Amino acid sequence: MENEKKKEIVFSAIQPSGTITLGNYLGAVRNWVKMQDEYSCIYALADLHTITVRQEPAQMRKNIIDAYASIMACGIDVEKSLFFIQSHVKSHAEMAWILNCYTQFGELSRMTQFKDKSAKHADNINAGLFTYPVLMAGDILLYQADKVPVGADQKQHIEITCDIARRFNGLYGNVFKIPEGFIPKNGARVMSLQDPTRKMSKSDENANGCVHILDTPETIMRKFKRAITDSEAHVHYAEGKDGINNLMSIYSAVTGLSYEQIEKDFEGKGYGDFKTAVGEAVVEHLRPIQERYNQLVKDKGYIEECYRKADEIALKISSRTVNKAMKKIGFVI
Ligand code: TYM
């Protein structure tokens, strides 16, 4: 069609380290699903990123397949989107090396995630943990992505991606598209239910702080009922009410209700009622995802078929960018 505009490219990825959390889902994966019709979407399981922290081999293999099935169950349709496994596409490791040589030690030292992770894994501050954002920059730049849907914690990594791309383009011409982060208004930073000043994370020491999308309804209800709040017992959004603000943002994200509406609906009711309502809404939201997951995971052959097909296409697309960059640098291709 003459007027048909070429669809913009979306790229994002998730680490398959353990199960997918409600934070991953509301901050990122849900938007991946929503963007599938309007954009040309490319998603990856960033398994190369996971080895910056030690993994148990058998568990890692299981996590990768489970994560692939979970993301499909969330609504990623492999007929519409490309969904591949990063380590199966060699361009990612190649591009990471190239970009490492165009990234400064100083700029990587400023990454807050590196500072946090190196404090947490003080016995294993490996070079991969330090250059992690470069691998991520390569992931994005290989596909000439326009938009990158992520949670707020990845903002700094998107910024360094743009800095690296601009630097490279400045030297060699327009090799990389400069991408843009796409951070949702609601759900960009889901906080721990046990310490609402900290991000919900699968590595939370307190298991009750983190909801996994495959948690049973009973577990989800228990976690929400035990969520830390304040002593005010009045459901409204305000500075300093981190626990309630977090619950309101989760409730709003899964029901679509505005904060004003939520405040109205819970006027005169206590926190107990509110926590139960949030838990129930999350259980209902996740129910179809869990049903699809239970179906999908039975058919490992089908899952393999899906990623092998996507791996092959991803390799073709990404190899073009690797070749272009290598040629510009001066390699003999
Ligand atoms: P990862 O695996 O830690 O998280 C995957 C996605 O989930 C978002 N997220 C959250 N959003 C809201 N609230 C939370 N509590 C929360 N926790 C996680 C993250 O922002 C992310 O969007 N380095 C990346 C993976 C990656 C990547 C990429 C992302 C590798 N290459 C290229 C985008 C583009 C990471 O560790 O995400």
Side-chain angles (χ1 to χ4, degrees):
M1 234 183 291
E2 216 177 284
N3 289 337
E4 200 177 354
K5 256 181 66 188
K6 216 168 158 235
K7 283 183 179 176
E8 281 194 313
I9 297 168
V10 160
F11 180 89
S12 199
I14 184 168
Q15 292 194 63
S17 45
T19 62
I20 312 285
T21 69
L22 187 64
N24 294 142
Y25 177 71
L26 295 178
V29 180
R30 196 164 73 136
N31 296 311
W32 298 8
V33 174
K34 286 185 191 159
M35 295 171 105
Q36 291 183 108
D37 288 317
E38 203 182 323
Y39 298 92
S40 183
C41 295
I42 306 176
Y43 301 123
L45 282 188
D47 55 346
L48 292 173
H49 280 95
T50 64
I51 64 163
T52 52
V53 173
R54 288 282 172 270
Q55 305 288 327
E56 199 281 305
Q59 188 61 47
M60 176 167 161
R61 272 188 285 274
K62 181 177 184 309
N63 286 346
I64 293 170
I65 302 305
D66 289 352
Y68 197 91
S70 301
I71 300 289
M72 279 178 85
C74 287
I76 293 304
D77 179 348
V78 293
E79 299 295 325
K80 288 185 190 163
S81 303
L82 206 56
F83 179 35
F84 67 95
I85 299 181
Q86 183 194 34
S87 65
H88 294 183
V89 181
K90 62 183 173 52
S91 321
H92 291 260
E94 291 172 343
M95 190 50 95
W97 173 252
I98 293 173
L99 296 182
N100 265 322
C101 302
Y102 296 85
T103 306
Q104 298 304 305
F105 184 89
E107 60 188 340
L108 286 175
S109 313
R110 286 193 290 276
M111 294 292 112
T112 51
Q113 193 164 314
F114 170 70
K115 289 183 204 161
D116 291 349
K117 283 210 175 169
S118 45
K120 212 169 190 171
H121 303 279
D123 56 339
N124 182 22
I125 308 177
N126 58 74
L129 197 62
F130 188 65
T131 61
Y132 175 114
V134 184
L135 179 60
M136 177 164 161
D139 295 344
I140 299 168
L141 300 176
L142 278 171
Y143 298 92
Q144 308 290 350
D146 295 281
K147 289 202 164 61
V148 187
V150 285
D153 62 331
Q154 297 299 320
K155 192 165 174 265
Q156 207 183 21
H157 290 162
I158 307 282
E159 284 164 5
I160 196 174
T161 299
C162 296
D163 291 343
I164 297 169
R166 281 196 199 96
R167 181 173 306 134
F168 196 95
N169 286 353
L171 288 165
Y172 302 111
N174 271 346
V175 176
F176 301 123
K177 170 89 63 66
I178 308 297
E180 205 186 306
F182 180 92
I183 296 172
K185 278 199 195 83
N186 216 340
R189 206 171 163 76
V190 178
M191 309 308 274
S192 161
L193 298 184
Q194 288 298 310
D195 178 358
T197 60
R198 291 172 47 179
K199 168 183 97 156
M200 181 182 281
S201 153
K202 31 198 152 193
S203 54
D204 202 322
E205 286 129 39
N206 187 335
N208 285 324
C210 179
V211 174
H212 302 270
I213 62 166
L214 299 178
D215 276 347
T216 62
E218 296 72 38
T219 303
I220 295 174
M221 290 308 296
R222 192 192 68 234
K223 288 179 180 174
F224 277 104
K225 281 184 181 164
R226 290 191 187 166
I228 301 292
T229 46
D230 53 71
S231 54
E232 206 187 14
H234 172 200
V235 179
H236 72 119
Y237 199 95
E239 202 171 318
K241 289 171 69 72
D242 299 322
I244 285 297
N245 294 350
N246 187 37
L247 291 177
M248 283 181 74
S249 117
I250 294 172
Y251 192 60
S252 169
V254 294
T255 60
L257 294 171
S258 67
Y259 287 173
E260 295 75 46
Q261 190 61 46
I262 297 171
E263 287 172 4
K264 227 190 236 164
D265 292 350
F266 287 89
E267 217 170 78
K269 292 186 187 156
Y271 285 168
D273 290 336
F274 184 52
K275 288 181 190 177
T276 302
V278 181
E280 284 170 351
V282 170
V283 166
E284 283 319 307
H285 190 91
L286 295 179
R287 193 184 299 281
I289 294 175
Q290 297 191 350
E291 284 169 3
R292 276 199 298 272
Y293 173 82
N294 290 330
Q295 279 303 317
L296 272 166
V297 84
K298 284 187 207 145
D299 196 348
K300 299 266 177 5
Y302 173 65
I303 294 174
E304 178 165 356
E305 211 178 285
C306 294
Y307 64 71
R308 295 270 178 231
K309 216 156 111 188
D311 296 343
E312 209 177 297
I313 302 171
L315 178 63
K316 264 196 200 134
I317 302 175
S318 57
S319 297
R320 279 187 232 136
T321 307
V322 174
N323 285 339
K324 191 171 167 188
M326 289 182 77
K327 217 169 171 173
K328 293 276 188 184
I329 293 168
F331 286 100
V332 177
I333 300 287

